[in-house]
Amino acid sequence: MTQMAISPPAAASEDPRDRGGPAQPMLIVDGIRKYFPIRAGVLNRTVAEVKAVDDISFYVVKGETLGIVGESGCGKSTLARLLMHLIDRDDGHLILDGDLVGEETGVPLDGLRRALQMVFQDSYSSLNPRLPIEQSIAYGPKVQGASSKVAKAQARALMEKVGLKANLFAQRYPHELSGGQKQRVNIARALALDPRLLILDEAVSALDKSVEAQVLNLLEDLKRQLNLTYIFISHDLHVVRYISDRVLVMYLGQVVEIGPVDKIYEDPQHPYTQALLACRLSMDPEERVEAAPLAGDPPNPVNPPSGCRFHTRCPFMEDVCMSKAPSLGDVLRSSAQDHLAACHMVHPGSGHSRAPLAVRA
Amino acid sequence: MNDMTPTNLSGSMPLAAPFVRVKDLRVRFVSREATVRAVNGVTFDLARGEVLCVIGESGSGKSVMMRSLLRLHPKKRTVIEGSMQVGEHDIGAVSDRVLSKLRGSTISMIFQEPMTALDPLYTIGDQIVETVRRHEGLGREAAWARALELLELVRVPSPERRLKAYPHELSGGLRQRAMIAVALSCRPSLLLADEPTTALDASVQIQVLVLLRKLQREMEMSMIFVTHDLGVAAQIADKVAVMYAGRIIEYGTVADVLNRPQHPYTRAMLASTVKDQERGVQLEAIAGSPPDLRALPDGCSFLPRCGYAKPECAVAMPPETVDARGHMARCYRVGVEGQRLAFSAPAIQPSVCTNASQLAAARAEMLGRQA
Amino acid sequence: MTDAVANSLAVAPSQSAPTARVRSYWGGVWQRLRYDYVTLFCIALIILIVLSAVFAPWLAPFDPYKSSMANRLRPIGYKQFLLGTDEQGRDMLSRLLYGGRVSLLMGIVPVILATVIGGLFGVVAGYYGRKVNMGIMRTMDIFFAFPSVLLAVAISGSLGGGITNQMLTLTVVLIPPICRVAETATSQVRNMDFVDAARATGASTTSILFTHVLINVMSPVLVYASTLVSISIILASGLSFLGLGVSPPTADWGLMLSTLRQSIYVQPLVSAIPGVAILVTSIAFNLVSDGLRQAMDVKA
């Protein structure tokens, strides 16, 4: 634990913590599912279910940044909490660096906890208002058995690492910090257990633009230095494009498109992705949007639409979209360079009039 | 009627006195521990039917400035100086009774978080009806009809049903629309918007922006729109004011400010905004942080973070430099060349300073050469 | 630090700000309290009342139980009786000082007990939620269903009189409200991201409860508990007044008020003295808890 703060930057291939080899994905998520029951009545019976995360599969390659985008309520945050085991999944597997997580034979939860950490959205709730920030950061190592002194020394080293002068800040309370500083503390806290994969859940969304740039630079540097892998969840498509290697688009608890960032941004396949990209605001006052690319709010995940879940807002909707759910394809067998979309318009022979006619070899 | 002078070329609107006139507005919050100088001399005019976007980081005083126009600050701890004229009313001088009449009718406000602006105990319909009846003395039925009309105006689907809904029953985007409907219920001539789209998804944000712009045009409202997002300003503004440490440091038409930024802060802010930058290349973040409003320096408040500092910057806040188009910047490096503002960069361009030591070195070099 | 990071780091905000001084949470509370003269005055008043009760044997000019038929119901300031005498000719000042001992005990001990017990139940209910919460909170609701005075009278009536039983009664009556406040505060804290962050480190529930939850639940609970002190005093006085608490001739403010009631037309001012003592003490406690709430309110 203690040597992490001073561990030298290592190349991706020779990380001593590596168990599965460089080609083994850092994390494989296989068919993960979470339905939240809605209870009502005197007997507290389950009357409906919110399909927050509905059969999601993907993998994260070592050393990459996977961006996850989608509107609020699409299940991004639930997914993050599922990966962190903060809520129990109903179904599906997690494979961390080649080892099944949680089952009797695989890595114990404790191991997962050390390898996976999360940076929460900056808000008043992400740091304990009654703890000096040094103690907030030192808490994790202490829990994992480090002595109080070692944990504190480590916390101070981490504060320096994220750009906070330990002498000045160690004893301060969260309310004495600005948003950017709080977010640095959040990052330091997540790094305290020497994780390999960091889940950043809207980690820069609440920050001012100039501070956002500072924190993004910091994240890039830490990634290189500590040989980290990121899952970067955000609704800001500009930021996701800047920081991600691959992008996963979520809609109502499902993956609708996944692929390398340039392919997604330059040639989006799914109409939802196209609409999301069109919602980006231009900085040029000449390029004003006259009509909103996406009408309305996302439908209620309690009763998601039949067939393709996007058909209620899709400009290309046809009968087949209402009856048959398009498949994304086998994500786990695809390569990291593949670009997959769950839309009838890209699948030959799907029955959609815009679908390609035949498979070209 | 008879003086149809040729100066009146800029549009169909007569060049009458501006609708909103803020002059040398200063706002201080006084407590035992410190005096926070949130607004330090803000002056601007706003014509009828014009949209002014106030851009700034948190702590720049943009929200404080706007809330002063409704005198929403706690009376006891706040000192407001300067004059604020809205229509024929002097906001600083009117009685509380007149002010509460103005609030919601002539001047209305929308907020970032609609749940704080809507009363959770009343339905959307009740809230609109109540406002309309209080300010315009309409009957219950007429008020209800107006409420329905308003929800249709803000494009709420199935408005009859939504009128009977409580705020918590609506989604974020609908709630925002409902709040806009309540704010517009008495056809205000001035709408104050405090980051109303910041908490929304991009897809909903753009719906609300398009809607606000349309309503603003149709109702010929003036609007002051506070945001930290330059993209939002580009979408909705006619004029842009950039605020830093409680002062407007750059002002002009939206095209002038966003496409030809002059002040180093505006330039840095544009450069640091993430937008299609190449991956792996460092973002040009602005080093440092906004000044402490409890202890503002004498000179230019951006000086500690500025890569273009001159010796005189430390002495006094730069005066306003204005060109023929009304583009204004407060920086010693900005002058007027011909008809337009121009930034005279130092002979040696400082490298992009993204950290303290680089910045300090660059500044030392710069100051040394000029001394 | 390594150069690579130092190179990229923008200066963290306000490190250079000279005005930002480090101050602990309690230091901040004290800073805010220092200028709140009303609260400070009330704190001083409470200390005075407590001290005078503690040192009653030394301060009281007379034996509070020694009656004198000759000096019954003397007015305030009569000879050596500073506050007059009661219906049995006992010195009011002495009885007031001694009575404060019982009344303050009744005000403070049940509140402390109820805070510990009710707080514990509330935190457990709030943190675990679901079924545990249902079990605990529905039980509390049963007690809540009765007005507190009625509940106190009922319990007291079945337990019988005496100081211990009276304290027990008051404790039982005060547990549900404290439990409710603790439960609400806990379930709010429980949903905060920092608790999830702590869980993500693999910390045990006990560790999270003690490091992260209790510390945040404490201040609302303490503030609320301090308002209950006055309620407890009044309830205790009420019980004594009804004859369900301490029994005569013990000096107790409530009991004194009760026995002097018959003399209200003879010596209205003297009869009112115990009532004034109850009023002043409970207002002081209320104002202090108001002040504490403001001082402890951290704008996060």
Side-chain angles (χ1 to χ4, degrees), chain C:
Chain C
M1 273 292 82
T2 49
D3 289 358
V5 167
N7 197 28
S8 74
L9 285 183
V11 201
S14 90
Q15 286 189 343
S16 51
T19 48
R21 55 184 178 281
V22 182
R23 179 200 284 165
S24 77
Y25 168 68
W26 292 107
V29 171
W30 170 238
Q31 278 300 317
R32 282 177 290 253
L33 216 51
R34 242 177 72 186
Y35 296 99
D36 187 351
Y37 300 116
V38 175
T39 308
L40 287 182
F41 174 77
C42 289
I43 290 175
L45 194 65
I46 289 172
I47 292 174
L48 197 72
I49 294 171
V50 169
L51 285 181
S52 63
V54 170
F55 295 107
W58 291 274
L59 291 173
F62 295 95
D63 181 349
Y65 299 110
K66 188 171 162 279
S67 52
S68 146
M69 279 326 207
N71 285 322
R72 287 172 57 191
L73 289 172
R74 293 298 182 191
I76 290 172
Y78 178 80
K79 285 188 186 164
Q80 66 274 55
F81 303 114
L82 236 60
L83 292 178
T85 60
D86 70 358
E87 78 288 347
Q88 295 193 35
R90 295 172 294 199
D91 178 45
M92 275 303 284
L93 179 60
S94 307
R95 283 186 72 74
L96 204 65
L97 290 171
Y98 273 90
R101 305 183 112 188
V102 179
S103 285
L104 286 179
L105 211 61
M106 289 302 166
I108 293 167
V109 174
V111 169
I112 293 174
L113 288 178
T115 305
V116 173
I117 301 170
L120 194 75
F121 276 122
V123 168
V124 168
Y127 190 82
Y128 286 96
R130 306 290 292 273
K131 283 183 181 145
V132 180
N133 185 305
M134 276 259 276
I136 294 177
M137 295 322 287
R138 288 302 90 80
T139 316
M140 293 298 161
D141 284 350
I142 295 174
F143 286 94
F144 246 127
F146 301 99
S148 55
V149 178
L150 205 63
L151 187 65
V153 168
I155 300 173
S156 205
S158 59
L159 286 177
I163 290 189
T164 323
N165 280 349
Q166 196 179 359
M167 283 202 279
L168 214 64
T169 304
L170 292 173
T171 308
V172 172
V173 172
L174 296 179
I175 285 176
I178 288 186
C179 183
R180 161 86 5 125
V181 170
E183 188 252 355
T184 313
T186 310
S187 51
Q188 274 168 6
V189 171
R190 207 231 156 292
N191 288 325
M192 299 234 167
D193 285 343
F194 65 82
V195 173
D196 274 346
R199 290 175 61 211
T201 62
S204 66
T205 307
T206 342
S207 163
I208 293 174
L209 278 179
F210 278 95
T211 318
H212 293 290
V213 177
L214 270 188
I215 200 172
N216 281 292
V217 172
M218 218 147 70
S219 68
V221 170
L222 284 183
V223 166
Y224 181 70
S226 63
T227 66
L228 290 182
V229 170
S230 56
I231 292 179
S232 184
I233 291 177
I234 292 169
L235 271 180
S237 304
L239 286 178
S240 302
F241 179 88
L242 292 172
L244 289 167
V246 291
S247 42
T250 314
D252 168 81
W253 292 348
L255 203 60
M256 288 161 70
L257 194 64
S258 161
T259 50
L260 277 167
R261 167 183 68 164
Q262 290 113 341
S263 322
I264 192 130
Y265 295 110
V266 187
Q267 266 316 341
L269 283 182
V270 172
S271 308
I273 287 172
V276 171
I278 294 172
L279 186 75
V280 168
T281 312
S282 49
I283 287 180
F285 270 107
N286 266 333
L287 289 176
V288 167
S289 67
D290 269 2
L292 279 184
R293 185 184 11 243
Q294 273 172 25
M296 286 169 125
D297 185 25
V298 175
K299 274 125 210 124

Side-chain angles (χ1 to χ4, degrees), chain A residues 39 81 86 113 117 125-126 128-130 139 143-144 161 163 165 168-169 173 175 181 189 218 221 225, chain C residues 1 5 8-10 12-13 15 25 130 192-194 196-197 199-203 207 212 216 219 298-299:
Chain A
R39 294 168 198 277
R81 284 176 152 76
L86 290 171
R113 292 246 147 99
Q117 283 291 310
S125 80
S126 61
N128 188 338
R130 294 279 191 272
Y139 181 73
V143 162
Q144 295 288 346
K161 209 172 199 87
K165 289 206 177 91
L168 268 170
F169 284 89
Y173 287 82
H175 68 96
Q181 289 167 342
R189 178 178 60 188
L218 171 69
D221 280 317
Q225 230 186 82
Chain C
M1 273 292 82
V5 167
S8 74
L9 285 183
Q15 286 189 343
Y25 168 68
R130 306 290 292 273
M192 299 234 167
D193 285 343
F194 65 82
D196 274 346
R199 290 175 61 211
T201 62
S207 163
H212 293 290
N216 281 292
S219 68
V298 175
K299 274 125 210 124

Side-chain angles (χ1 to χ4, degrees), chain B residues 4 39 41 59 62 89 91 115 120 168 176 242 259 261 283 286 301 309 311-312 322 334 342 356-358 369:
Chain B
M4 288 289 266
V39 179
K62 56 191 194 305
H89 303 282
I91 298 296
M115 277 313 260
H168 70 265
Q176 205 74 27
V242 182
N259 294 346
L283 296 168
I286 310 177
S301 30
E312 54 262 52
V322 196
V334 174
S357 52
Q358 279 179 23
R369 246 185 300 119

Side-chain angles (χ1 to χ4, degrees), chain B residues 97-356:
Chain B
R97 253 194 55 223
V98 176
L99 188 70
S100 70
K101 258 195 190 147
L102 289 179
R103 282 180 191 162
S105 59
T106 310
I107 312 174
S108 207
M109 185 154 176
I110 54 180
F111 300 86
Q112 178 173 349
E113 184 37 73
M115 277 313 260
T116 59
L118 294 170
D119 190 330
L121 297 178
Y122 292 92
T123 62
I124 302 297
D126 286 341
Q127 299 189 39
I128 300 179
V129 166
E130 207 262 339
T131 319
V132 175
R133 291 185 70 179
R134 191 181 37 180
H135 285 297
E136 303 194 355
L138 287 181
R140 191 150 177 94
E141 243 154 67
W144 192 261
R146 168 78 75 82
L148 195 64
E149 188 188 323
L150 278 161
L151 282 203
E152 276 163 6
L153 191 69
V154 297
R155 302 263 177 87
V156 170
S158 44
E160 286 98 342
R161 190 156 57 83
R162 267 23 188 279
L163 273 182
K164 294 184 187 119
Y166 290 91
H168 70 265
E169 295 172 319
L170 303 178
S171 69
L174 283 184
R175 227 179 266 154
Q176 205 74 27
R177 282 153 198 260
M179 180 178 66
I180 294 172
V182 174
L184 297 184
S185 56
C186 294
R187 301 198 175 92
S189 354
L190 174 63
L191 185 66
L192 306 177
D194 191 358
E195 308 231 16
T197 62
T198 306
L200 301 174
D201 271 313
S203 56
V204 183
Q205 177 183 54
I206 206 153
Q207 294 170 19
V208 173
L209 286 178
V210 168
L211 174 74
L212 271 177
R213 203 170 53 208
K214 184 172 152 284
L215 292 175
Q216 176 265 332
R217 266 190 217 137
E218 283 172 8
M219 299 170 79
E220 291 196 357
M221 272 187 300
S222 304
M223 184 148 89
I224 301 179
F225 195 107
V226 161
T227 181
H228 69 271
D229 190 334
L230 296 161
V232 170
Q235 285 297 317
I236 199 155
D238 297 317
K239 298 280 167 61
V240 170
V242 182
M243 274 186 83
Y244 191 79
R247 298 186 184 98
I248 294 178
I249 50 106
E250 182 153 2
Y251 175 90
T253 62
V254 59
D256 279 352
V257 174
L258 293 186
N259 294 346
R260 295 185 74 250
Q262 297 299 317
H263 196 282
Y265 175 65
T266 318
R267 295 161 153 241
M269 199 149 73
L270 275 158
S272 70
T273 302
V274 183
K275 195 189 173 298
D276 300 339
Q277 279 96 336
E278 206 171 320
R279 268 192 308 286
V281 178
Q282 273 212 353
L283 296 168
E284 299 176 21
I286 310 177
S289 60
D292 189 338
L293 294 175
R294 291 169 296 188
L296 276 179
D298 284 335
C300 174
S301 30
F302 189 60
L303 169 68
R305 306 168 79 182
C306 185
Y308 301 97
K310 286 163 116 174
E312 54 262 52
C313 298
V315 180
M317 185 69 200
E320 298 184 354
T321 310
V322 196
D323 71 8
R325 303 159 54 93
H327 191 178
M328 181 281 281
R330 294 184 77 171
C331 177
Y332 286 118
R333 288 208 178 269
V334 174
V336 182
E337 262 171 38
Q339 295 290 299
R340 312 205 57 169
L341 289 186
F343 186 82
S344 56
I348 299 170
Q349 194 79 4
S351 55
V352 174
C353 303
T354 48
N355 73 53

Side-chain angles (χ1 to χ4, degrees), chain A residues 71-72 208 210 213-214 216-217 238 241-242 244 261-262 279 282-283 285 287-290 292 294-297, chain B residues 57-58 171 201 203-207 210 213 232 234-235 237 259 272 274-276 278-279 281 283 285-286 288:
Chain A
E71 289 165 287
S72 55
D208 274 319
S210 65
Q214 290 178 1
L216 286 173
N217 282 343
H238 289 301
R241 178 174 205 178
Y242 171 73
S244 308
V261 62
D262 290 330
C279 287
S282 161
M283 303 270 258
E287 290 176 30
R288 287 197 173 172
V289 180
E290 291 304 329
L294 259 178
D297 296 319
Chain B
E57 291 176 277
S58 45
S171 69
D201 271 313
S203 56
V204 183
Q205 177 183 54
I206 206 153
Q207 294 170 19
V210 168
R213 203 170 53 208
V232 170
Q235 285 297 317
N259 294 346
S272 70
V274 183
K275 195 189 173 298
D276 300 339
E278 206 171 320
R279 268 192 308 286
V281 178
L283 296 168
I286 310 177

